[in-house]
């Protein structure tokens, strides 16, 4: 096993650097997002079809999308925090979740805007038109928006309270303050705290 962590860049060609820099994150983000999309689309359509009751706000196009997206946001945060960006998650999970929600709401507003334009402005009110507006056009625009802000703001490697930054600080402290040859010997963590 290599001692290299996933947060260290790989030496090698441009493809290896691209994989470490963006493609691995994009792939994992896509998997989490795909599961979140299934949750979002299924719940949206169940609400629109009245499975949970008729003639209430949750059955309206905007109400159903708001509810389904909110449920998907919570799932996606957990997936992205503990899988996609696990090496860059932050100690202050409440602040991270708050920032994640802000970005997610931005993405949701993009999807809702597409739905509103299609449903109310252009007059396409069928279930198929609602799905195309929100789950195709809105999803594509919102996903691009969210990925960039999650990767470079919420889970940005530059965040001072990020777990990967804290690990690098601890390693630097050990390097600076240990006696030569001490690094090879096991240390008692409770005495260094």
């Amino acid at each position: 096993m290599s001692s290299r962590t996933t947060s260290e860049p790989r030496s090698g060609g441009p493809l290896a650097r691209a994989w470490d820099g963006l493609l691995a994150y994009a792939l994992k983000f896509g998997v989490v997002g795909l599961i979140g999309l299934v949750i979002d689309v299924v719940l949206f359509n169940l609400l629109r079809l009245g499975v949970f009751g008729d003639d209430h706000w949750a059955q309206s196009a905007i109400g159903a999308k708001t509810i389904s997206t909110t449920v998907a946001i919570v799932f996606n945060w957990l997936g992205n925090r503990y899988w996609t960006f696990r090496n860059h998650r932050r100690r202050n999970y409440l602040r991270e979740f708050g920032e994640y929600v802000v970005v997610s709401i931005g993405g949701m507003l993009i999807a809702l805007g597409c739905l509103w334009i299609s449903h109310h402005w252009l007059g396409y009110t069928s279930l198929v038109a609602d799905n195309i507006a929100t789950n195709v056009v809105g999803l594509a625009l919102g996903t691009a928006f969210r990925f960039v802000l999650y990767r470079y703001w919420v889970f940005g490697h530059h965040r001072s309270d990020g777990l990967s930054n804290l690990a690098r600080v601890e390693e630097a402290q050990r390097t600076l303050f240990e006696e030569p040859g001490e690094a090879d010997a096991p240390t008692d963590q409770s005495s260094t705290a």
Side-chain angles (χ1 to χ4, degrees):
M1 243 201 200
S2 170
S3 63
R4 185 182 72 80
T5 64
T6 56
S7 62
E8 294 174 8
R10 227 187 255 186
S11 60
L15 186 58
R17 287 190 303 274
W19 176 258
D20 279 344
L22 189 64
L23 295 177
Y25 291 113
L27 180 64
K28 290 177 180 180
F29 181 78
V31 170
V32 170
L34 187 60
I35 296 168
L37 173 66
V38 169
I39 292 169
D40 190 1
V41 170
V42 168
L43 187 55
F44 173 76
N45 284 292
L46 289 174
L47 288 166
R48 287 288 286 133
L49 293 171
V51 170
F52 302 108
D54 290 331
D55 298 326
H56 51 76
W57 178 77
Q59 191 179 14
S60 71
I62 300 295
K65 188 61 181 173
T66 302
I67 292 168
S68 67
T69 301
T70 301
V71 171
I73 285 171
V74 173
F75 170 82
N76 288 347
W77 175 66
L78 292 170
N80 283 317
R81 175 176 171 77
Y82 292 105
W83 188 47
T84 308
F85 302 112
R86 73 177 174 268
N87 292 324
H88 300 291
R89 65 180 187 240
R90 308 212 332 257
R91 291 177 106 182
N92 187 342
Y93 65 89
L94 292 175
R95 182 173 180 180
E96 178 187 274
F97 182 69
E99 291 173 356
Y100 192 92
V101 167
V102 167
V103 174
S104 296
I105 288 172
M108 180 175 71
L109 290 174
I110 290 169
L112 287 173
C114 293
L115 177 61
W116 187 87
I117 289 169
S118 171
H119 196 90
H120 295 288
W121 194 32
L122 299 176
Y124 297 117
T125 59
S126 72
L127 188 59
V128 172
D130 287 348
N131 274 284
I132 290 171
T134 193
N135 295 321
V136 177
V137 177
L139 176 71
L141 296 174
T143 297
F145 171 83
R146 286 189 304 268
F147 177 73
V148 169
L149 288 177
Y150 292 155
R151 173 68 178 98
Y152 296 105
W153 181 48
V154 177
F155 297 108
H157 63 281
H158 65 283
R159 299 305 292 254
S160 61
D161 66 338
L163 297 180
S164 63
N165 273 348
L166 294 174
R168 285 192 291 267
V169 167
E170 290 170 0
E171 179 64 28
Q173 288 173 337
R174 280 193 299 276
T175 302
L176 288 173
F177 299 112
E178 288 179 350
E179 294 292 323
E182 222 179 283
D184 298 332
T187 58
D188 179 16
Q189 295 295 327
S190 62
S191 65
T192 59

